[in-house]
Amino acid sequence: MLPGDADSMAERPESSLGDSGRNPQGTRRGASKDTARRERSNPKATMLMEAVVERKNMTEALRRVEKNGGTAGIDGMAVSELRSYLKAQWPRIKGSLLAGSYQPQPVRRVEIPKAGGKGMRMLGIPTVIDRLIQQGLHQVLSPIFDKDFSESSYGFRPGRSAHAAVKQAWQHVSDGKRWVVDMDLEKFFDRVNHDILMARVARRIADKRVLLLIRRYLQAGAMKEGLVEASREGTPQGGPLSPLLSNILLDDLDKELERRGHSFCRYADDCNIYTQSRIAGERVLKSITRYLERKLRLTVNEEKSAVDRPWKRKFLGYSMTPHRQPKLKIAKESVRRMKAALKTAFRRGRGRNLQRFIAEELNPKLKGWGNYFQLNKVRVTIEELDGWIRRKLRCLKWRQWKKPRTRIKRLMERGLSRERALKSALNGRGAWWNSGASHMNEAFPRNYFDKLGLVSLMNMQRRIPVTT
Protein backbone atom coordinates (compact mmCIF):
# COMPACT_ATOMS: atom_id res chain seq x y z
CA MET A 1 0.00 0.00 0.00
CA LEU A 2 1.20 3.50 -0.76
CA PRO A 3 1.28 5.80 2.28
CA GLY A 4 -0.03 9.32 2.56
CA ASP A 5 -2.55 9.03 -0.30
CA ALA A 6 -6.19 9.60 0.55
CA ASP A 7 -7.29 10.23 -3.04
CA SER A 8 -9.70 7.90 -4.75
CA MET A 9 -10.92 7.59 -8.31
CA ALA A 10 -14.44 8.50 -7.11
CA GLU A 11 -13.21 11.91 -5.96
CA ARG A 12 -11.88 12.87 -9.37
CA PRO A 13 -14.19 14.85 -11.67
CA GLU A 14 -15.47 13.12 -14.78
CA SER A 15 -13.36 15.44 -16.89
CA SER A 16 -10.13 13.87 -15.59
CA LEU A 17 -10.22 11.34 -18.37
CA GLY A 18 -12.49 13.25 -20.73
CA ASP A 19 -12.57 16.29 -22.98
CA SER A 20 -11.71 19.70 -21.60
CA GLY A 21 -11.39 21.64 -24.82
CA ARG A 22 -10.58 21.56 -28.49
CA ASN A 23 -7.37 20.26 -29.98
CA PRO A 24 -5.11 22.86 -31.53
CA GLN A 25 -6.13 23.45 -35.11
CA GLY A 26 -2.64 23.96 -36.49
CA THR A 27 -1.08 21.28 -38.63
CA ARG A 28 1.73 19.43 -36.84
CA ARG A 29 4.87 18.37 -38.61
CA GLY A 30 4.48 14.80 -39.76
CA ALA A 31 0.69 14.62 -39.53
CA SER A 32 -1.31 14.29 -42.72
CA LYS A 33 -4.42 16.44 -43.23
CA ASP A 34 -6.61 13.35 -42.84
CA THR A 35 -4.87 12.46 -39.58
CA ALA A 36 -5.15 16.02 -38.27
CA ARG A 37 -8.89 16.16 -39.01
CA ARG A 38 -9.42 12.80 -37.34
CA GLU A 39 -7.48 13.78 -34.21
CA ARG A 40 -9.38 17.06 -33.71
CA SER A 41 -12.53 15.11 -32.94
CA ASN A 42 -10.90 13.00 -30.25
CA PRO A 43 -11.19 13.87 -26.52
CA LYS A 44 -8.17 15.12 -24.59
CA ALA A 45 -7.51 14.51 -20.93
CA THR A 46 -6.61 17.57 -18.85
CA MET A 47 -6.24 16.20 -15.29
CA LEU A 48 -4.35 13.00 -15.90
CA MET A 49 -1.68 13.49 -13.25
CA GLU A 50 -4.34 13.06 -10.56
CA ALA A 51 -5.24 9.73 -12.17
CA VAL A 52 -1.57 8.72 -12.31
CA VAL A 53 -0.86 9.31 -8.59
CA GLU A 54 -4.25 7.95 -7.45
CA ARG A 55 -3.83 5.25 -4.81
CA LYS A 56 -5.33 2.33 -6.74
CA ASN A 57 -3.31 3.07 -9.86
CA MET A 58 0.01 3.39 -8.02
CA THR A 59 -0.63 0.30 -5.92
CA GLU A 60 -1.10 -1.69 -9.13
CA ALA A 61 2.03 -0.07 -10.58
CA LEU A 62 4.00 -1.08 -7.48
CA ARG A 63 2.75 -4.65 -7.78
CA ARG A 64 3.88 -4.87 -11.40
CA VAL A 65 7.30 -3.35 -10.77
CA GLU A 66 7.90 -5.80 -7.94
CA LYS A 67 6.71 -8.69 -10.09
CA ASN A 68 8.96 -7.73 -13.02
CA GLY A 69 12.03 -7.28 -10.80
CA GLY A 70 15.10 -6.20 -12.72
CA THR A 71 18.39 -4.59 -11.81
CA ALA A 72 18.95 -1.31 -10.00
CA GLY A 73 19.33 2.06 -11.71
CA ILE A 74 22.06 4.61 -11.11
CA ASP A 75 21.04 5.10 -7.44
CA GLY A 76 21.64 1.43 -6.63
CA MET A 77 18.19 0.92 -5.09
CA ALA A 78 16.90 -2.63 -5.56
CA VAL A 79 13.27 -3.47 -6.26
CA SER A 80 13.09 -5.18 -2.86
CA GLU A 81 13.82 -1.82 -1.18
CA LEU A 82 11.15 0.14 -3.02
CA ARG A 83 8.16 -0.52 -0.77
CA SER A 84 9.91 0.56 2.44
CA TYR A 85 11.34 3.64 0.67
CA LEU A 86 7.86 4.71 -0.45
CA LYS A 87 6.49 4.60 3.09
CA ALA A 88 8.64 7.60 3.96
CA GLN A 89 9.07 9.33 0.62
CA TRP A 90 5.83 8.86 -1.36
CA PRO A 91 4.08 12.03 -0.06
CA ARG A 92 7.03 14.14 -1.25
CA ILE A 93 7.21 12.37 -4.63
CA LYS A 94 3.47 12.64 -5.12
CA GLY A 95 3.53 16.33 -4.30
CA SER A 96 6.25 17.03 -6.84
CA LEU A 97 4.36 15.09 -9.52
CA LEU A 98 1.17 17.04 -8.90
CA ALA A 99 3.10 20.30 -8.91
CA GLY A 100 4.84 19.42 -12.17
CA SER A 101 8.28 19.76 -10.63
CA TYR A 102 9.40 16.10 -10.50
CA GLN A 103 12.80 15.52 -12.12
CA PRO A 104 13.60 11.95 -13.30
CA GLN A 105 17.10 10.62 -12.83
CA PRO A 106 19.27 9.54 -15.79
CA VAL A 107 19.00 5.92 -16.84
CA ARG A 108 21.84 3.46 -16.39
CA ARG A 109 23.17 2.66 -19.85
CA VAL A 110 23.96 -0.99 -20.51
CA GLU A 111 24.80 -2.86 -23.69
CA ILE A 112 23.59 -6.34 -24.58
CA PRO A 113 24.45 -8.39 -27.70
CA LYS A 114 21.88 -8.24 -30.47
CA ALA A 115 20.27 -11.41 -31.74
CA GLY A 116 22.73 -13.34 -33.84
CA GLY A 117 25.67 -11.47 -32.36
CA LYS A 118 25.33 -8.60 -34.86
CA GLY A 119 26.37 -5.62 -32.80
CA MET A 120 25.16 -4.37 -29.44
CA ARG A 121 21.75 -3.16 -28.30
CA MET A 122 21.62 -0.17 -25.95
CA LEU A 123 19.32 -0.39 -22.94
CA GLY A 124 18.48 2.33 -20.44
CA ILE A 125 17.68 1.04 -16.95
CA PRO A 126 15.66 3.62 -14.96
CA THR A 127 15.78 3.80 -11.18
CA VAL A 128 13.07 1.75 -9.46
CA ILE A 129 11.29 5.00 -8.48
CA ASP A 130 11.17 6.09 -12.10
CA ARG A 131 10.07 2.60 -13.17
CA LEU A 132 7.17 2.91 -10.72
CA ILE A 133 6.13 6.34 -12.05
CA GLN A 134 6.51 5.22 -15.67
CA GLN A 135 4.37 2.18 -14.96
CA GLY A 136 1.72 4.40 -13.39
CA LEU A 137 1.80 6.67 -16.46
CA HIS A 138 1.55 3.67 -18.77
CA GLN A 139 -1.53 2.31 -17.00
CA VAL A 140 -3.36 5.61 -17.41
CA LEU A 141 -2.19 6.52 -20.91
CA SER A 142 -2.50 3.10 -22.55
CA PRO A 143 -6.34 2.95 -22.56
CA ILE A 144 -6.49 6.46 -24.05
CA PHE A 145 -4.29 5.61 -27.03
CA ASP A 146 -4.69 1.86 -27.48
CA LYS A 147 -8.37 1.90 -28.46
CA ASP A 148 -7.54 3.75 -31.69
CA PHE A 149 -4.39 1.84 -32.62
CA SER A 150 -4.44 -0.20 -35.81
CA GLU A 151 -5.77 -3.76 -35.85
CA SER A 152 -2.52 -4.70 -37.62
CA SER A 153 -0.37 -3.48 -34.69
CA TYR A 154 0.44 -6.28 -32.23
CA GLY A 155 3.44 -5.27 -30.13
CA PHE A 156 3.16 -4.39 -26.43
CA ARG A 157 -0.63 -4.11 -26.45
CA PRO A 158 -3.13 -5.71 -24.04
CA GLY A 159 -4.76 -8.82 -25.45
CA ARG A 160 -2.30 -9.03 -28.35
CA SER A 161 0.80 -11.11 -28.87
CA ALA A 162 3.58 -12.10 -31.23
CA HIS A 163 1.65 -15.29 -32.00
CA ALA A 164 -1.31 -13.25 -33.23
CA ALA A 165 1.01 -11.21 -35.47
CA VAL A 166 2.59 -14.36 -36.92
CA LYS A 167 -0.84 -15.87 -37.62
CA GLN A 168 -1.94 -12.69 -39.38
CA ALA A 169 1.22 -12.71 -41.51
CA TRP A 170 0.52 -16.34 -42.43
CA GLN A 171 -3.03 -15.37 -43.38
CA HIS A 172 -1.84 -12.62 -45.73
CA VAL A 173 0.45 -15.08 -47.53
CA SER A 174 -2.31 -17.72 -47.64
CA ASP A 175 -4.56 -15.12 -49.27
CA GLY A 176 -2.13 -14.78 -52.17
CA LYS A 177 0.17 -11.95 -51.01
CA ARG A 178 3.29 -13.99 -51.71
CA TRP A 179 5.84 -11.15 -51.61
CA VAL A 180 6.89 -9.37 -48.44
CA VAL A 181 8.37 -5.94 -47.87
CA ASP A 182 10.54 -6.63 -44.83
CA MET A 183 11.42 -3.22 -43.38
CA ASP A 184 14.08 -2.66 -40.75
CA LEU A 185 14.10 0.72 -39.01
CA GLU A 186 17.68 1.68 -38.30
CA LYS A 187 18.28 2.04 -34.54
CA PHE A 188 14.63 2.99 -34.08
CA PHE A 189 14.62 3.42 -30.30
CA ASP A 190 17.81 5.49 -30.47
CA ARG A 191 16.61 7.78 -33.29
CA VAL A 192 13.10 8.86 -32.26
CA ASN A 193 12.69 12.62 -32.71
CA HIS A 194 11.41 14.04 -29.40
CA ASP A 195 9.46 16.93 -30.92
CA ILE A 196 7.62 14.71 -33.39
CA LEU A 197 6.83 12.15 -30.70
CA MET A 198 5.58 14.76 -28.22
CA ALA A 199 3.38 16.35 -30.90
CA ARG A 200 1.64 13.00 -31.27
CA VAL A 201 1.26 12.51 -27.52
CA ALA A 202 -0.22 16.01 -27.25
CA ARG A 203 -2.96 15.10 -29.74
CA ARG A 204 -4.69 13.26 -26.89
CA ILE A 205 -3.14 14.62 -23.72
CA ALA A 206 -3.74 18.19 -22.52
CA ASP A 207 -2.35 17.87 -18.98
CA LYS A 208 0.83 19.91 -19.25
CA ARG A 209 2.30 18.21 -16.20
CA VAL A 210 2.06 14.81 -17.90
CA LEU A 211 3.49 16.15 -21.16
CA LEU A 212 6.36 17.84 -19.30
CA LEU A 213 7.08 14.67 -17.32
CA ILE A 214 7.20 12.51 -20.47
CA ARG A 215 9.57 14.97 -22.16
CA ARG A 216 11.77 14.98 -19.05
CA TYR A 217 11.94 11.19 -19.22
CA LEU A 218 12.96 11.41 -22.87
CA GLN A 219 15.65 13.97 -22.04
CA ALA A 220 16.83 12.59 -18.69
CA GLY A 221 20.07 11.37 -20.21
CA ALA A 222 22.05 8.22 -19.54
CA MET A 223 24.93 7.41 -17.23
CA LYS A 224 27.74 5.23 -18.47
CA GLU A 225 31.01 4.73 -16.60
CA GLY A 226 30.17 7.57 -14.22
CA LEU A 227 29.41 10.18 -16.89
CA VAL A 228 25.93 11.45 -17.82
CA GLU A 229 25.25 11.81 -21.54
CA ALA A 230 22.46 14.14 -22.65
CA SER A 231 19.53 12.64 -24.62
CA ARG A 232 18.67 14.71 -27.69
CA GLU A 233 16.77 11.95 -29.45
CA GLY A 234 15.51 8.41 -28.83
CA THR A 235 13.34 6.67 -26.27
CA PRO A 236 15.63 4.23 -24.42
CA GLN A 237 14.51 0.63 -24.15
CA GLY A 238 14.28 -0.63 -20.60
CA GLY A 239 11.49 1.46 -19.06
CA PRO A 240 7.76 0.63 -18.95
CA LEU A 241 6.82 3.75 -20.96
CA SER A 242 9.06 3.17 -23.99
CA PRO A 243 6.89 0.52 -25.77
CA LEU A 244 3.78 2.71 -25.56
CA LEU A 245 5.63 5.76 -26.88
CA SER A 246 6.96 3.74 -29.81
CA ASN A 247 3.43 2.61 -30.68
CA ILE A 248 2.15 6.19 -30.45
CA LEU A 249 4.77 7.36 -32.93
CA LEU A 250 4.44 4.42 -35.34
CA ASP A 251 0.64 4.61 -35.32
CA ASP A 252 1.06 7.27 -38.00
CA LEU A 253 2.80 4.66 -40.15
CA ASP A 254 -0.03 2.19 -39.50
CA LYS A 255 -2.67 4.73 -40.47
CA GLU A 256 -0.79 5.61 -43.66
CA LEU A 257 -0.53 1.92 -44.63
CA GLU A 258 -4.24 1.48 -43.96
CA ARG A 259 -5.07 4.57 -46.01
CA ARG A 260 -3.17 3.07 -48.93
CA GLY A 261 -4.98 -0.27 -48.54
CA HIS A 262 -1.89 -2.37 -47.74
CA SER A 263 -1.90 -5.73 -45.94
CA PHE A 264 0.67 -5.55 -43.14
CA CYS A 265 1.68 -6.68 -39.68
CA ARG A 266 3.66 -4.56 -37.24
CA TYR A 267 5.17 -5.66 -33.94
CA ALA A 268 6.98 -2.69 -32.34
CA ASP A 269 9.51 -1.54 -34.98
CA ASP A 270 9.30 -4.82 -36.91
CA CYS A 271 6.96 -4.19 -39.87
CA ASN A 272 6.16 -6.51 -42.80
CA ILE A 273 3.98 -5.45 -45.74
CA TYR A 274 2.57 -8.13 -48.05
CA THR A 275 2.04 -7.64 -51.80
CA GLN A 276 1.15 -9.76 -54.84
CA SER A 277 4.28 -9.00 -56.87
CA ARG A 278 7.90 -7.98 -56.52
CA ILE A 279 7.30 -4.80 -58.53
CA ALA A 280 4.50 -3.75 -56.17
CA GLY A 281 6.69 -4.56 -53.19
CA GLU A 282 9.60 -2.47 -54.47
CA ARG A 283 7.26 0.44 -55.14
CA VAL A 284 5.85 0.17 -51.59
CA LEU A 285 9.30 -0.02 -49.99
CA LYS A 286 10.43 3.10 -51.85
CA SER A 287 7.34 5.18 -51.04
CA ILE A 288 7.11 4.10 -47.38
CA THR A 289 10.83 4.79 -46.89
CA ARG A 290 10.25 8.30 -48.22
CA TYR A 291 7.22 8.73 -45.94
CA LEU A 292 9.15 7.64 -42.82
CA GLU A 293 12.07 9.92 -43.55
CA ARG A 294 9.98 12.99 -44.35
CA LYS A 295 7.13 12.69 -41.86
CA LEU A 296 8.58 10.81 -38.87
CA ARG A 297 12.31 11.49 -39.35
CA LEU A 298 13.04 7.77 -39.20
CA THR A 299 15.61 5.94 -41.33
CA VAL A 300 15.06 2.60 -43.05
CA ASN A 301 18.11 0.34 -42.97
CA GLU A 302 18.62 -0.42 -46.67
CA GLU A 303 21.02 -3.31 -46.02
CA LYS A 304 18.59 -5.21 -43.80
CA SER A 305 15.36 -4.27 -45.61
CA ALA A 306 14.31 -6.22 -48.69
CA VAL A 307 11.48 -7.29 -50.97
CA ASP A 308 11.53 -11.08 -51.06
CA ARG A 309 9.51 -14.24 -50.71
CA PRO A 310 8.13 -14.78 -47.16
CA TRP A 311 9.84 -18.18 -46.93
CA LYS A 312 13.20 -16.48 -47.48
CA ARG A 313 12.66 -13.98 -44.65
CA LYS A 314 11.75 -14.27 -40.99
CA PHE A 315 9.17 -12.48 -38.89
CA LEU A 316 9.31 -12.67 -35.08
CA GLY A 317 11.44 -15.79 -35.27
CA TYR A 318 9.17 -17.63 -37.71
CA SER A 319 9.34 -18.28 -41.43
CA MET A 320 7.08 -20.19 -43.83
CA THR A 321 7.20 -22.96 -46.42
CA PRO A 322 6.73 -22.12 -50.13
CA HIS A 323 3.62 -24.30 -50.50
CA ARG A 324 0.47 -22.85 -52.04
CA GLN A 325 -1.01 -23.26 -48.56
CA PRO A 326 2.09 -22.29 -46.55
CA LYS A 327 3.08 -23.82 -43.23
CA LEU A 328 4.65 -21.87 -40.40
CA LYS A 329 8.11 -23.03 -39.47
CA ILE A 330 10.92 -21.98 -37.16
CA ALA A 331 13.41 -19.71 -38.93
CA LYS A 332 16.93 -21.10 -39.28
CA GLU A 333 18.36 -18.12 -37.41
CA SER A 334 16.07 -18.88 -34.43
CA VAL A 335 17.45 -22.41 -34.26
CA ARG A 336 21.04 -21.10 -34.45
CA ARG A 337 20.36 -18.66 -31.62
CA MET A 338 18.84 -21.41 -29.49
CA LYS A 339 21.82 -23.67 -30.07
CA ALA A 340 24.21 -20.84 -29.16
CA ALA A 341 22.35 -20.27 -25.87
CA LEU A 342 22.36 -23.99 -25.11
CA LYS A 343 26.08 -24.29 -25.86
CA THR A 344 26.74 -21.69 -23.19
CA ALA A 345 24.61 -23.68 -20.76
CA PHE A 346 26.39 -26.95 -21.63
CA ARG A 347 29.75 -25.36 -20.84
CA ARG A 348 28.39 -24.60 -17.38
CA GLY A 349 27.17 -28.18 -17.10
CA ARG A 350 30.59 -29.79 -17.15
CA GLY A 351 31.22 -31.60 -13.90
CA ARG A 352 27.64 -31.14 -12.63
CA ASN A 353 25.07 -33.78 -11.76
CA LEU A 354 23.27 -34.46 -15.03
CA GLN A 355 19.73 -34.67 -13.64
CA ARG A 356 20.14 -31.44 -11.67
CA PHE A 357 21.68 -29.72 -14.69
CA ILE A 358 18.72 -30.75 -16.85
CA ALA A 359 16.17 -29.56 -14.27
CA GLU A 360 17.87 -26.25 -13.43
CA GLU A 361 19.50 -25.20 -16.71
CA LEU A 362 18.02 -26.96 -19.73
CA ASN A 363 14.33 -27.50 -19.01
CA PRO A 364 13.43 -23.85 -18.29
CA LYS A 365 15.03 -22.79 -21.59
CA LEU A 366 13.42 -25.62 -23.55
CA LYS A 367 9.95 -24.99 -22.11
CA GLY A 368 10.06 -21.27 -22.89
CA TRP A 369 11.40 -21.83 -26.40
CA GLY A 370 8.98 -24.66 -27.14
CA ASN A 371 5.98 -22.64 -25.95
CA TYR A 372 6.95 -19.67 -28.11
CA PHE A 373 7.35 -21.83 -31.22
CA GLN A 374 4.16 -23.80 -30.69
CA LEU A 375 2.84 -22.52 -34.06
CA ASN A 376 5.56 -24.45 -35.88
CA LYS A 377 4.22 -27.09 -38.29
CA VAL A 378 7.51 -28.37 -39.75
CA ARG A 379 8.48 -30.84 -37.10
CA VAL A 380 11.70 -32.18 -38.61
CA THR A 381 13.42 -29.08 -37.17
CA ILE A 382 12.20 -29.99 -33.70
CA GLU A 383 13.26 -33.64 -34.07
CA GLU A 384 16.75 -32.63 -35.14
CA LEU A 385 17.11 -30.19 -32.25
CA ASP A 386 15.95 -32.83 -29.75
CA GLY A 387 18.57 -35.22 -31.13
CA TRP A 388 21.28 -32.55 -30.98
CA ILE A 389 20.47 -31.84 -27.31
CA ARG A 390 20.68 -35.53 -26.38
CA ARG A 391 24.00 -35.78 -28.20
CA LYS A 392 25.34 -32.79 -26.25
CA LEU A 393 24.32 -34.53 -23.02
CA ARG A 394 26.12 -37.72 -24.10
CA CYS A 395 29.13 -35.53 -24.84
CA LEU A 396 28.97 -34.21 -21.26
CA LYS A 397 29.02 -37.76 -19.90
CA TRP A 398 31.99 -38.73 -22.08
CA ARG A 399 33.94 -35.67 -20.89
CA GLN A 400 33.08 -36.36 -17.25
CA TRP A 401 34.56 -39.85 -17.45
CA LYS A 402 37.95 -38.39 -18.59
CA LYS A 403 40.19 -41.50 -18.33
CA PRO A 404 39.91 -44.58 -20.60
CA ARG A 405 39.56 -47.02 -17.70
CA THR A 406 36.66 -44.97 -16.32
CA ARG A 407 34.99 -44.99 -19.74
CA ILE A 408 35.40 -48.75 -20.03
CA LYS A 409 33.85 -49.26 -16.61
CA ARG A 410 30.91 -46.90 -17.19
CA LEU A 411 30.12 -48.30 -20.64
CA MET A 412 30.05 -51.81 -19.21
CA GLU A 413 27.73 -50.61 -16.42
CA ARG A 414 25.42 -49.31 -19.15
CA GLY A 415 25.21 -52.78 -20.74
CA LEU A 416 28.03 -52.90 -23.30
CA SER A 417 30.30 -55.95 -23.53
CA ARG A 418 33.83 -55.65 -22.22
CA GLU A 419 35.30 -56.06 -25.70
CA ARG A 420 33.10 -53.31 -27.18
CA ALA A 421 33.61 -50.99 -24.20
CA LEU A 422 37.38 -51.43 -24.49
CA LYS A 423 37.37 -50.74 -28.23
CA SER A 424 35.13 -47.66 -27.80
CA ALA A 425 37.12 -46.15 -24.92
CA LEU A 426 40.43 -46.51 -26.78
CA ASN A 427 39.32 -45.36 -30.24
CA GLY A 428 41.29 -42.09 -29.95
CA ARG A 429 38.38 -39.99 -31.16
CA GLY A 430 37.15 -36.77 -29.56
CA ALA A 431 34.19 -36.28 -27.24
CA TRP A 432 31.81 -34.95 -29.90
CA TRP A 433 32.51 -37.85 -32.29
CA ASN A 434 31.96 -40.38 -29.52
CA SER A 435 28.74 -38.71 -28.39
CA GLY A 436 27.25 -39.49 -31.81
CA ALA A 437 28.69 -43.01 -32.09
CA SER A 438 26.60 -46.16 -31.68
CA HIS A 439 28.21 -47.16 -28.36
CA MET A 440 27.07 -43.94 -26.62
CA ASN A 441 23.64 -44.06 -28.26
CA GLU A 442 23.23 -47.62 -27.00
CA ALA A 443 24.53 -46.77 -23.54
CA PHE A 444 22.31 -43.68 -23.25
CA PRO A 445 19.18 -44.15 -25.38
CA ARG A 446 16.37 -41.64 -25.53
CA ASN A 447 14.40 -43.24 -22.67
CA TYR A 448 17.39 -42.67 -20.36
CA PHE A 449 16.99 -38.91 -20.74
CA ASP A 450 13.21 -39.20 -20.50
CA LYS A 451 13.68 -40.79 -17.07
CA LEU A 452 15.94 -37.89 -16.05
CA GLY A 453 13.05 -35.53 -16.87
CA LEU A 454 14.53 -33.92 -20.01
CA VAL A 455 11.89 -31.87 -21.81
CA SER A 456 11.21 -33.19 -25.32
CA LEU A 457 10.38 -30.40 -27.77
CA MET A 458 8.73 -32.95 -30.04
CA ASN A 459 6.44 -34.11 -27.24
CA MET A 460 5.55 -30.48 -26.51
CA GLN A 461 4.59 -30.02 -30.16
CA ARG A 462 2.34 -33.06 -30.06
CA ARG A 463 0.56 -31.86 -26.92
CA ILE A 464 -0.05 -28.29 -28.12
CA PRO A 465 -2.97 -27.92 -30.54
CA VAL A 466 -1.83 -25.83 -33.50
CA THR A 467 -4.38 -23.66 -35.28
CA THR A 468 -3.44 -21.39 -38.17
Side-chain angles (χ1 to χ4, degrees):
M1 299 292 288
L2 292 166
D5 190 352
D7 296 337
S8 67
M9 292 295 287
E11 294 171 349
R12 287 188 290 111
E14 289 295 322
S15 62
S16 64
L17 294 177
D19 191 354
S20 67
R22 296 185 300 117
N23 283 333
Q25 298 297 310
T27 301
R28 299 179 183 87
R29 182 172 55 178
S32 68
K33 293 180 180 179
D34 289 340
T35 302
R37 281 196 296 270
R38 182 169 58 250
E39 294 298 343
R40 288 184 191 120
S41 64
N42 288 329
K44 295 176 71 179
T46 58
M47 296 181 63
L48 281 182
M49 191 59 80
E50 281 74 11
V52 171
V53 301
E54 187 267 334
R55 186 181 187 87
K56 183 178 179 181
N57 184 60
M58 293 308 298
T59 300
E60 174 62 15
L62 176 60
R63 184 189 69 80
R64 293 193 182 188
V65 169
E66 290 179 330
K67 180 181 178 181
N68 293 336
T71 60
I74 63 169
D75 61 355
M77 183 188 298
V79 173
S80 59
E81 303 173 69
L82 179 58
R83 188 172 289 260
S84 59
Y85 178 84
L86 290 173
K87 289 180 179 179
Q89 299 298 327
W90 175 244
R92 176 185 59 80
I93 297 171
K94 177 186 173 182
S96 64
L97 288 168
L98 290 173
S101 59
Y102 181 81
Q103 292 287 345
Q105 296 190 65
V107 298
R108 181 168 63 86
R109 181 72 75 184
V110 296
E111 297 180 354
I112 61 171
K114 286 186 177 180
K118 300 176 182 178
M120 303 296 289
R121 186 182 303 279
M122 305 296 290
L123 293 182
I125 309 300
T127 64
V128 290
I129 296 296
D130 285 324
R131 292 214 288 273
L132 174 73
I133 296 169
Q134 285 193 33
Q135 181 62 43
L137 277 168
H138 183 279
Q139 291 167 185
V140 170
L141 296 181
S142 181
I144 296 173
F145 288 95
D146 188 83
K147 58 187 177 64
D148 290 321
F149 283 159
S150 169
E151 287 297 313
S152 297
S153 169
Y154 293 90
F156 310 114
R157 296 182 60 192
R160 290 173 170 262
S161 65
H163 282 170
V166 170
K167 288 180 181 179
Q168 186 59 64
W170 172 85
Q171 188 62 59
H172 288 320
V173 178
S174 298
D175 291 342
K177 305 289 180 69
R178 296 173 69 81
W179 290 89
V180 61
V181 180
D182 187 356
M183 287 199 315
D184 182 89
L185 296 178
E186 188 171 2
K187 297 182 179 179
F188 169 74
F189 287 94
D190 297 331
R191 299 283 176 83
V192 170
N193 183 285
H194 291 170
D195 291 335
I196 293 176
L197 172 58
M198 290 307 302
R200 278 138 186 81
V201 176
R203 290 173 180 173
R204 299 293 181 84
I205 306 303
D207 191 325
K208 294 182 179 179
R209 297 166 299 177
V210 171
L211 294 174
L212 181 60
L213 181 59
I214 293 174
R215 184 174 281 276
R216 283 174 176 167
Y217 273 121
L218 293 174
Q219 298 178 339
M223 180 174 286
K224 184 179 179 181
E225 298 177 353
L227 299 175
V228 176
E229 300 173 353
S231 299
R232 296 181 176 85
E233 60 180 2
T235 169
Q237 298 180 79
L241 201 55
S242 180
L244 176 61
L245 295 178
S246 68
N247 275 335
I248 291 172
L249 180 64
L250 290 176
D251 186 57
D252 272 24
L253 170 62
D254 298 340
K255 296 298 191 294
E256 181 66 16
L257 292 172
E258 289 176 346
R259 188 184 67 80
R260 299 183 186 189
H262 292 312
S263 300
F264 71 98
C265 293
R266 184 178 66 78
Y267 192 96
D269 59 331
D270 199 346
C271 183
N272 278 6
I273 307 167
Y274 297 88
T275 64
Q276 292 181 323
S277 69
R278 176 185 288 274
I279 293 175
E282 290 173 347
R283 185 173 61 248
V284 169
L285 177 57
K286 185 177 180 180
S287 63
I288 292 300
T289 297
R290 187 166 55 247
Y291 171 84
L292 288 168
E293 291 175 348
R294 291 181 178 179
K295 298 296 185 180
L296 300 182
R297 301 288 184 88
L298 297 173
T299 304
V300 173
N301 189 323
E302 294 183 2
E303 292 183 3
K304 295 183 179 180
S305 301
V307 178
D308 209 337
R309 295 293 195 177
W311 46 90
K312 294 182 179 180
R313 308 295 291 184
K314 65 179 180 67
F315 180 55
L316 301 178
Y318 281 87
S319 188
M320 302 183 198
T321 65
H323 299 102
R324 183 173 297 276
Q325 186 68 18
K327 296 180 180 180
L328 287 171
K329 68 176 185 178
I330 304 170
K332 291 181 180 179
E333 184 177 331
S334 300
V335 177
R336 287 196 295 268
R337 287 168 56 189
M338 181 58 171
K339 283 187 174 182
L342 290 175
K343 284 178 181 178
T344 301
F346 280 119
R347 283 194 289 270
R348 293 195 297 267
R350 295 176 184 178
R352 292 182 58 183
N353 175 276
L354 199 62
Q355 187 168 15
R356 190 177 305 154
F357 169 70
I358 288 172
E360 295 176 357
E361 289 274 358
L362 290 190
N363 283 351
K365 288 183 173 62
L366 295 176
K367 288 178 181 177
W369 197 83
N371 283 328
Y372 181 76
F373 287 106
Q374 62 182 259
L375 300 181
N376 169 63
K377 281 197 166 185
V378 180
R379 298 192 171 176
V380 64
T381 304
I382 296 295
E383 290 177 334
E384 290 175 352
L385 187 55
D386 269 342
W388 180 85
I389 291 168
R390 290 191 293 270
R391 184 173 178 179
K392 292 292 287 185
L393 289 169
R394 294 185 187 107
C395 188
L396 275 184
K397 294 296 284 187
W398 187 264
R399 289 180 183 279
Q400 286 175 356
W401 291 340
K402 294 182 180 179
K403 297 181 180 179
R405 64 172 179 268
T406 305
R407 290 168 179 168
I408 295 169
K409 180 180 179 181
R410 298 305 181 208
L411 287 172
M412 291 177 63
E413 290 175 351
R414 295 298 304 166
L416 273 66
S417 66
R418 178 176 177 80
E419 181 181 356
R420 190 174 179 204
L422 185 65
K423 183 178 179 181
S424 299
L426 299 176
N427 61 32
R429 302 275 191 166
W432 182 245
W433 185 93
N434 277 282
S435 66
S438 60
H439 54 271
M440 285 297 283
N441 277 271
E442 185 177 329
F444 298 99
R446 175 174 177 169
N447 61 10
Y448 171 82
F449 298 107
D450 291 341
K451 291 176 182 177
L452 290 182
L454 177 67
V455 167
S456 166
L457 294 171
M458 193 63 200
N459 287 345
M460 286 186 68
Q461 288 271 294
R462 292 192 182 106
R463 287 195 298 267
I464 299 173
V466 178
T467 56
T468 52

